[in-house]
Amino acid sequence: MNFLQESYRLVKLISKRGFGKTFLAVDEGKFPPIPCVIQELSLQNEISKTFEQKVQWLEELGQHPKIPKFLASFQQNGHFYLVQEFIAGRNLAQMVEEEGAFDESQIWQLLKELLPVLKLMSDRNIIHCDIKPENIIRRSSPNLETRGDLVLVDFRSAKIVTEIDQLTTEISIGSPEYAAPEQTRGKAVFASDLYSLGVTCIYLLTQISPFDLFDIANNCWVWQQYLTTKVSDRLAQILNKLLQNAVNHRFQSADEVMQAIGMESKTEDFKFSTPNPPWQCLHTLTEYSTGVNSVNALAISPDGNILASGNNDKKIRLWDLNSKKILATLSGHSQAVKSVSFSPDGKTLATASDDKTIKLWHSKTFEEICTLFGHSHAVKSVAFHPNEQILASGSWDKTIKLWDINTGTEICTLIGHKLQVNSVAFSPQGKLLASASCDRTIRLWQIAALEDSDKEFKNRPCYSLLSTLSGHAWTVLTVAFSPDGKILATGSDDNTIKLWKVSTGQLISTLSDHSWSVVAVAFTADGETLISASWDKTIKLWRVSTAEEIITLSGHADSVSTIAISPVAQLIASGSRDKTIKLWQLVEQQES
């Protein structure tokens, strides 16, 4: 089998053990295709409920920089599959083979990097169950003078510990050379991972198989006899306590080890989603006809009363946000609707479609005004100029077009992107237009004065390229200006959001806590908060001034495709491939 789920091309088998396999693969569904790692789990060793639990906590753990990002999961041909980020670099087994045995300073560094990760996992009742040199990768660093982080990989054997688990025995899992005695008997505990970490350390120090470092006759480790360079008594004491056969003689937690080596015993600077967040989903809109398989675009009218949604069934729906009922369903496009936008005065709705056209509608009477023809490929984004007379459109024909709303005619075409254009946005002052493309760049266009309605727009110069912003590793999918026009936010297939200073084109910060493509970004009216939507099924809120994540909103059962923010209320709308729209509202916290 060369493909899974029609888009994952299997490149090679990385490892095969027990009930599962690990493959290096390429996601051909992305442009450009991206490498990933696919883990196959046998139905003999997984049941649907435990697999769903594993997916849930892998999504959470995957937000940590020292654990691969979780990308997808599915079931096919009698197996469960987990798709995770491919970590470019060398594992510790490769490093020791190429560079020789580790010295003491390298072991201290290993402990300092991995112990907080093990603490993070144990705090969530998770045991990795297969810690060994092959499953610890030193991430490649673009800067040759710096060293990349260590990343813990391969969670096929990992398990969540419950009270029931403590009373039962399971099939032995993990790698025999590195597994703790109790784990080989089917009784893995949190200290089992610490034992495996200790065995990993002595292998790296000696470059000798752990099987040969254990004296079976005397039931003890003799690793120090094989050292070519002695280590300090302090390190030897730490490792020997990690390696105790009896669990009650061993370090019981990562906390204990961290305290013993003088590390502050706390989880790394890393925040998970806040439980019981003040933002809550108070309404889910699902009144769709049969056949709708994705909500692609959302927009809220300037008065905050109407929500417009564009869908894969070629229709646009207008919702009354007060009653949560459908006001009207607009038909006319012959393919999926990919973008919707209200004019600043709220009187006109623009919609863009894969059918290569843009349509303008009366938002009060729901009548079609006209259809704009000119693009030679799917139109993915439309945005109104603040003067309400100009509309910009971005297309997969690699161009951006400006349209005269009064006449329905094309003003000019902006050419320069090398690949498809995914998103366009005007600055609040209307002097700039930003465009995002599959060519991994964002372009800022200077727009000439177009304010006077009595001027003839057509056939006169209307734009110039101001700057090109580069920095994303993959396709740029979305752009948004802050309300004051000073910051530009961009989201990408590389799972990151970047904030740029508009006046200089300088990168301000990179937000990288999403585990999949960021498909939509939007600022709140006060400019203090940025909202992002991702295929990782979440919406995140960020504090713009500090680039800190405020909260993660979870609830969609499939990829989130779009978001919209009410200009007059504390309300966020999100649309998803799960066929629903969710309305999130800020809930006042009651004092207890």
Side-chain angles (χ1 to χ4, degrees):
M1 183 195 308
N2 293 324
F3 278 84
L4 292 171
Q5 291 291 97
E6 298 183 355
S7 63
Y8 297 108
R9 177 170 57 86
L10 302 183
V11 177
K12 69 175 181 179
L13 179 67
I14 297 176
S15 65
K16 179 179 180 181
R17 187 192 73 250
F19 296 102
K21 302 175 183 177
T22 300
F23 298 92
L24 173 64
V26 174
D27 185 356
E28 302 283 3
K30 294 292 182 64
F31 182 85
I34 62 172
C36 57
V37 171
I38 297 182
Q39 296 179 339
E40 177 189 274
L41 308 176
S42 171
L43 291 177
Q44 300 174 27
N45 199 43
E46 295 279 344
I47 60 175
S48 181
K49 183 177 180 181
T50 58
F51 179 73
E52 290 173 4
Q53 289 176 335
K54 183 170 288 190
V55 167
Q56 184 176 0
W57 54 254
L58 275 179
E59 285 185 292
E60 184 178 13
L61 288 178
Q63 299 175 51
H64 193 282
K66 294 184 184 296
I67 295 175
K69 293 177 181 178
F70 178 83
L71 301 180
S73 63
F74 55 90
Q75 183 177 347
Q76 183 176 329
N77 300 325
H79 293 91
F80 290 117
Y81 292 92
L82 299 170
V83 185
Q84 289 181 287
E85 171 192 12
F86 169 72
I87 305 298
R90 294 181 299 164
N91 66 47
L92 298 191
Q94 293 169 323
M95 289 180 63
V96 78
E97 182 177 348
E98 295 170 8
E99 301 173 9
F102 278 32
D103 60 26
E104 179 168 346
S105 64
Q106 289 175 292
I107 297 300
W108 283 122
Q109 185 62 35
L110 168 66
L111 293 172
K112 289 176 180 178
E113 287 195 60
L114 283 190
L115 284 169
V117 182
L118 296 186
K119 171 179 166 51
L120 183 75
M121 293 171 57
S122 63
D123 285 347
R124 285 153 182 80
N125 295 325
I126 298 168
I127 308 174
H128 185 277
C129 292
D130 197 18
I131 291 177
K132 59 183 180 180
E134 289 82 357
N135 286 340
I136 304 169
I137 297 177
R138 175 70 72 184
R139 193 191 294 268
S140 296
S141 173
N143 185 348
L144 297 178
E145 296 180 358
T146 61
R147 196 171 44 176
D149 290 338
L150 289 178
V151 181
L152 183 61
V153 303
D154 195 349
F155 286 77
R156 281 178 297 171
S157 302
K159 58 173 286 187
I160 299 178
V161 178
T162 66
E163 292 182 3
I164 293 178
D165 291 325
Q166 297 173 10
L167 302 175
T168 60
T169 300
E170 59 183 20
I171 299 174
S172 175
I173 52 180
S175 302
E177 277 185 288
Y178 296 90
E182 69 278 0
Q183 185 176 330
T184 63
R185 297 191 294 269
K187 287 284 189 178
V189 295
F190 298 121
S192 303
D193 277 350
L194 297 175
Y195 181 96
S196 298
L197 179 61
V199 180
T200 295
C201 289
I202 63 173
Y203 167 73
L204 296 174
L205 284 167
T206 62
Q207 209 175 346
I208 294 174
S209 167
F211 285 143
D212 296 325
L213 295 176
F214 192 80
D215 183 345
I216 299 177
N218 294 298
N219 196 34
C220 65
W221 290 97
V222 290
W223 61 276
Q224 288 174 271
Q225 298 176 19
Y226 293 90
L227 291 173
T228 55
T229 303
K230 288 188 176 182
V231 299
S232 67
D233 290 341
R234 181 166 173 250
L235 179 60
Q237 290 171 1
I238 295 290
L239 296 182
N240 283 331
K241 190 166 183 180
L242 285 171
L243 294 167
Q244 289 295 312
N245 289 334
V247 176
N248 60 343
H249 292 163
R250 201 182 304 158
F251 285 112
Q252 297 299 295
S253 67
D255 278 317
E256 286 189 15
V257 191
M258 292 164 71
Q259 291 169 10
I261 66 177
M263 289 179 65
E264 186 175 354
S265 182
K266 67 175 185 178
T267 304
E268 292 179 341
D269 294 334
F270 179 73
K271 298 177 181 178
F272 283 108
S273 306
T274 306
N276 303 316
W279 282 90
Q280 293 183 13
C281 178
L282 298 185
H283 299 281
T284 299
L285 309 181
T286 57
E287 298 178 26
Y288 288 105
S289 58
T290 303
V292 177
N293 51 20
S294 180
V295 181
N296 299 321
L298 293 174
I300 297 177
S301 61
D303 61 10
N305 291 326
I306 299 175
L307 173 70
S309 64
N311 309 285
N312 262 15
D313 66 351
K314 314 170 192 177
K315 294 181 173 62
I316 303 101
R317 290 173 176 78
L318 299 181
W319 303 79
D320 185 331
L321 286 176
N322 297 309
S323 66
K324 312 301 185 294
K325 302 296 183 182
I326 292 179
L327 290 171
T329 299
L330 311 181
S331 301
H333 284 295
S334 60
Q335 292 188 41
V337 179
K338 289 303 178 72
S339 181
V340 292
S341 178
F342 281 99
S343 60
D345 62 7
K347 295 179 180 179
T348 306
L349 176 70
T351 61
S353 169
D354 281 347
D355 65 11
K356 309 177 188 177
T357 72
I358 301 141
K359 289 183 180 290
L360 301 180
W361 314 77
H362 285 294
S363 59
K364 302 300 181 185
T365 64
F366 314 132
E367 296 176 348
E368 182 179 331
I369 300 171
C370 63
T371 300
L372 309 181
F373 298 94
H375 282 296
S376 60
H377 212 301
V379 187
K380 297 295 184 179
S381 179
V382 285
F384 277 96
H385 189 277
N387 72 0
E388 302 176 354
Q389 301 172 57
I390 309 300
L391 185 77
S393 58
S395 168
W396 272 21
D397 63 11
K398 308 178 188 177
T399 72
I400 302 106
K401 291 183 182 292
L402 299 184
W403 307 84
D404 184 342
I405 297 303
N406 296 318
T407 63
T409 58
E410 179 184 327
I411 300 171
C412 55
T413 300
L414 285 62
I415 300 173
H417 279 296
K418 297 178 181 179
L419 294 173
Q420 298 94 323
V421 178
N422 295 308
S423 180
V424 292
F426 280 107
S427 64
Q429 298 76 24
K431 295 181 179 180
L432 297 177
L433 177 72
S435 57
S437 170
C438 292
D439 64 13
R440 309 183 189 183
T441 71
I442 305 99
R443 292 183 179 241
L444 289 176
W445 310 85
Q446 185 86 45
I447 304 299
L450 300 172
E451 289 82 1
D452 299 330
S453 60
D454 59 343
K455 288 186 178 180
E456 179 61 38
F457 297 142
K458 194 171 178 62
N459 298 323
R460 72 180 178 89
C462 63
Y463 72 92
S464 60
L465 179 61
L466 184 64
S467 61
T468 300
L469 310 181
S470 301
H472 280 294
W474 302 109
T475 293
V476 189
L477 298 169
T478 179
V479 291
F481 282 96
S482 61
D484 61 7
K486 295 181 179 180
I487 297 175
L488 184 72
T490 59
S492 169
D493 254 341
D494 64 11
N495 307 349
T496 72
I497 302 152
K498 291 184 182 292
L499 300 181
W500 311 82
K501 188 174 182 180
V502 173
S503 61
T504 63
Q506 179 182 1
L507 178 64
I508 301 171
S509 57
T510 299
L511 316 179
S512 54
D513 282 351
H514 277 296
S515 60
W516 208 346
S517 303
V518 180
V519 295
V521 289
F523 287 90
T524 53
D526 59 12
E528 295 181 359
T529 305
L530 179 74
I531 293 93
S532 59
S534 169
W535 285 351
D536 65 12
K537 307 178 187 177
T538 70
I539 302 102
K540 289 182 181 288
L541 279 66
W542 310 83
R543 187 169 290 107
V544 175
S545 60
T546 61
E548 293 176 318
E549 181 184 335
I550 300 171
I551 201 169
T552 297
L553 307 180
S554 303
H556 280 293
D558 206 333
S559 303
V560 183
S561 311
T562 178
I563 51 173
I565 303 172
S566 173
V568 298
Q570 292 178 316
L571 179 139
I572 301 168
S574 59
S576 168
R577 288 180 59 185
D578 66 9
K579 310 179 185 180
T580 72
I581 298 168
K582 290 186 180 293
L583 302 180
W584 309 84
Q585 290 180 302
L586 188 61
V587 179
E588 296 295 334
Q589 297 295 291
Q590 298 180 351
E591 295 183 3
S592 56

